[in-house]
Amino acid sequence: MRIDSEVLAAFLHMQELDVQIIRAEKQLQELPERKAIADAMAKKRAVAAKAEQVEKLAAKAEDKLARITEEDDGLAEKARRIQDEIEQAQGDFRTVDARTKELTGVQERRDVLEEDMRAVDAELEKIKAVRAQVAAAMEQIEGVERNAGAAFSQKGGELKQRIADMQAKRKAMAQRVPADDMKLYERTAAATAGVPLALLVEERCGACRTPIEHGRVVDMRSQGNVATCPNCGRLLILQAH
């Protein structure tokens, strides 16, 4: 096939831009700050799950403490009533004895509740400490995320601007190429990982390095200044002898 020399020059320039764009996009995707942000987000989710677990434990402990307190308050009121009855029953030995035994039972139950209350208080103190640790871990992770985000915004912003500038140059150049030639370039680029052109160098494809028989090279040149590499499918720009 034959392609105008100016179109070939435009193709070569576009390919150079395309390669640079591919490299810049790969660099953008592989910025260490991007991974740092992703890692921080994963850690935040894990810490948030831990925080949720801690809050559930706290709620359970606080509910238990509330029930203990409610029962103890009820027993305290009951103990006051029994004591009043004992004081009013002076001289009634049986009533005093019965109420005294009942009062002793109430006090024993309150002693048990007091132990339970201390255990729950100790549990809540542990939960409080874990809650503080979780909050500190979250704060640290968020700091890392902010720093990585700021660095990514700067580096990524610069790369994105470079990519946009190169894409604009490529678009302007493509608009000056005949539509059929441009379709050929784009179709070949899609099939060759964005590198559609290669030079014939010493009867080899300059991209895949596959040797081409001399007779076939002669036949290619007889048909124009561009051929298709029989191995990689790139547009092979034929050089003069």
Side-chain angles (χ1 to χ4, degrees), residues 37-55 130 133-135 137-138 141:
I37 292 170
D39 288 347
M41 291 176 66
K43 288 178 181 178
K44 280 177 66 177
R45 288 194 293 270
V47 172
K50 179 66 174 178
E52 183 178 356
Q53 183 182 15
V54 169
E55 293 308 316
V130 174
Q133 292 173 357
V134 169
M138 183 65 80
I141 294 168

Side-chain angles (χ1 to χ4, degrees), residues 79-92 95-97 99-100 103:
R80 283 192 294 272
R81 289 199 309 269
I82 294 171
Q83 186 61 46
D84 288 343
E85 291 176 5
I86 290 173
E87 291 176 359
Q88 293 171 10
Q90 291 297 329
D92 186 347
T95 299
V96 170
D97 184 57
R99 292 294 180 267
T100 300
L103 183 60

Side-chain angles (χ1 to χ4, degrees), residues 130-181:
V130 174
R131 185 184 280 156
Q133 292 173 357
V134 169
M138 183 65 80
E139 184 178 356
Q140 182 181 12
I141 294 168
E142 288 176 344
V144 171
E145 185 180 29
R146 282 194 300 272
N147 291 337
F152 179 77
S153 294
Q154 180 182 353
K155 295 179 182 179
E158 292 172 357
L159 281 170
K160 288 177 182 178
Q161 186 58 55
R162 278 179 51 200
I163 292 169
D165 291 343
M166 289 187 288
Q167 288 174 335
K169 289 179 182 178
R170 185 193 188 283
K171 182 178 180 181
M173 192 168 296
Q175 289 174 343
R176 296 195 295 270
V177 174
D180 289 342
D181 290 338

Side-chain angles (χ1 to χ4, degrees), residues 16-195:
E16 182 181 352
L17 287 171
D18 285 343
V19 169
Q20 291 180 23
I21 289 170
I22 290 170
R23 287 175 180 169
E25 289 176 339
K26 186 173 185 293
Q27 187 178 354
L28 178 63
Q29 290 298 319
E30 294 178 352
L31 280 176
E33 290 79 9
R34 181 188 290 274
K35 184 177 184 304
I37 292 170
D39 288 347
M41 291 176 66
K43 288 178 181 178
K44 280 177 66 177
R45 288 194 293 270
V47 172
K50 179 66 174 178
E52 183 178 356
Q53 183 182 15
V54 169
E55 293 308 316
K56 285 181 179 179
L57 290 173
K60 184 177 180 181
E62 288 167 356
D63 181 62
K64 184 177 181 180
L65 183 61
R67 283 185 279 108
I68 292 172
T69 302
E70 182 179 4
E71 183 180 355
D72 186 64
D73 289 345
L75 290 174
E77 178 60 29
K78 183 176 182 180
R80 283 192 294 272
R81 289 199 309 269
I82 294 171
Q83 186 61 46
D84 288 343
E85 291 176 5
I86 290 173
E87 291 176 359
Q88 293 171 10
Q90 291 297 329
D92 186 347
F93 176 76
R94 289 184 178 181
T95 299
V96 170
D97 184 57
R99 292 294 180 267
T100 300
K101 289 179 180 178
E102 187 177 359
L103 183 60
T104 300
V106 169
Q107 187 57 51
E108 288 175 350
R109 176 57 183 164
R110 291 193 69 192
D111 290 342
V112 171
L113 291 176
E114 185 177 355
E115 287 296 323
D116 291 345
M117 197 176 298
R118 279 198 289 266
V120 175
D121 284 337
E123 184 179 355
L124 285 171
E125 283 299 314
K126 291 179 181 178
I127 290 171
K128 182 180 178 181
V130 174
R131 185 184 280 156
Q133 292 173 357
V134 169
M138 183 65 80
E139 184 178 356
Q140 182 181 12
I141 294 168
E142 288 176 344
V144 171
E145 185 180 29
R146 282 194 300 272
N147 291 337
F152 179 77
S153 294
Q154 180 182 353
K155 295 179 182 179
E158 292 172 357
L159 281 170
K160 288 177 182 178
Q161 186 58 55
R162 278 179 51 200
I163 292 169
D165 291 343
M166 289 187 288
Q167 288 174 335
K169 289 179 182 178
R170 185 193 188 283
K171 182 178 180 181
M173 192 168 296
Q175 289 174 343
R176 296 195 295 270
V177 174
D180 289 342
D181 290 338
M182 198 63 227
K183 287 179 183 178
L184 174 63
Y185 178 94
E186 298 289 12
R187 184 170 62 250
T188 309
T192 55
V195 185

